Amino acid sequence: MQSDEYRTIARPAEGTYTEKRSKFLAFAFPVSNLDEIKGHIERIQKEYYDARHVCYAYMLGHERTNFRANDNGEPSGTAGKPILGQINSNELTDILICVVRYFGGIKLGTSGLIVAYKAAAQECLANAEFIEKTVDETVDIAFEYPFMNDVMRVVKDLSPKILDQGYDQDCTMQLQIRQSMMPRLKDRLSKVETLRIKKEEE
């Protein structure tokens, strides 16, 4: 069964690594979509415009299937892949790690580059705070006002978050709860008289 928990970082983190006068500056960001990733990469590229390379890797989504590694002109597989390796070995997602390299005049060779990019990413993650998050789902319900107490009893027992509520002819609510609890929540709600669970819009 797919877990409804995943691991990410709480806030941005940084780390540095130096090898044969080449300086590697690593930056990790919590991200939730490709636009955020693009924004961070562009900002780093602007800020460190005089650097030789800005390499990166990211992982998105709790299934950890949406990822990319970019070598930005370094020999293939020597930069993005070792950065991604650190994301994987820490089982992280919703994260971007950029590593900026300032060339120190001495070539490191492919194995030296792999070690350096890995170490820079490692250094950065050593300064990061890891957090567990849950995959949440929402459900929209409608019911008649006299049954408000029955609905609130379910809310009290199972503790979903109330995202929205309204009182027109019917009472409406949007509830959010972790994925693994949703079947139980729907089951309890379906026993409340007059209550309708609205079909989720795609």
Side-chain angles (χ1 to χ4, degrees), residues 15-150:
T16 55
Y17 180 76
T18 308
E19 180 65 32
K20 293 180 181 163
R21 298 210 298 269
S22 268
K23 200 167 184 193
F24 297 82
L25 312 176
F27 305 89
F29 303 97
V31 289
S32 56
N33 58 55
L34 290 172
D35 286 341
E36 282 181 36
I37 288 169
K38 204 167 155 242
H40 285 307
I41 293 166
E42 283 171 1
R43 193 173 54 73
I44 294 281
Q45 285 169 336
K46 267 197 197 109
E47 198 173 329
Y48 299 94
Y49 63 91
D50 55 341
R52 178 69 69 92
H53 303 279
V54 178
C55 307
Y56 64 86
Y58 66 74
M59 177 77 70
L60 278 178
H62 69 281
E63 297 98 345
R64 304 183 74 250
T65 52
N66 183 357
F67 57 87
R68 185 163 176 221
N70 184 302
D71 296 314
N72 189 232
E74 291 283 33
S76 179
T78 60
K81 217 169 160 189
I83 299 169
L84 185 63
Q86 287 308 298
I87 293 174
N88 279 327
S89 64
N90 286 283
E91 295 179 345
L92 296 167
T93 190
D94 287 358
I95 183 173
L96 162 71
I97 300 179
C98 291
V99 180
V100 176
R101 180 190 180 194
Y102 282 96
F103 184 52
I106 301 164
K107 291 197 167 172
L108 301 183
T110 51
S111 58
L113 285 171
I114 290 168
V115 168
Y117 278 102
K118 177 185 172 182
Q122 234 168 4
E123 197 59 41
C124 183
L125 289 175
N127 297 324
E129 183 194 341
F130 297 163
I131 51 170
E132 298 284 343
K133 285 190 167 186
T134 57
V135 182
D136 297 328
E137 288 184 356
T138 58
V139 62
D140 291 288
I141 58 173
F143 53 92
E144 289 174 13
Y145 189 75
F147 300 97
M148 173 64 88
N149 283 347
D150 297 347

Side-chain angles (χ1 to χ4, degrees), residues 137 177-188:
E137 288 184 356
I177 199 164
R178 64 186 293 171
Q179 202 174 49
S180 57
M181 292 285 289
M182 184 56 89
R184 200 167 150 212
L185 177 64
K186 283 183 174 173
D187 181 56
R188 286 283 304 272

Side-chain angles (χ1 to χ4, degrees), residues 143-194:
F143 53 92
E144 289 174 13
Y145 189 75
F147 300 97
M148 173 64 88
N149 283 347
D150 297 347
V151 172
M152 293 315 291
R153 195 169 299 123
V154 176
V155 168
K156 189 169 177 285
D157 287 352
L158 299 183
S159 306
K161 197 188 271 182
I162 300 173
L163 298 181
D164 194 26
Q165 50 188 330
Y167 309 95
D168 289 331
Q169 297 98 329
D170 272 352
C171 299
T172 58
M173 257 184 211
Q174 186 177 59
L175 303 174
Q176 184 183 59
I177 199 164
R178 64 186 293 171
Q179 202 174 49
S180 57
M181 292 285 289
M182 184 56 89
R184 200 167 150 212
L185 177 64
K186 283 183 174 173
D187 181 56
R188 286 283 304 272
L189 289 169
S190 68
K191 294 183 170 76
V192 175
E193 273 185 74
T194 79

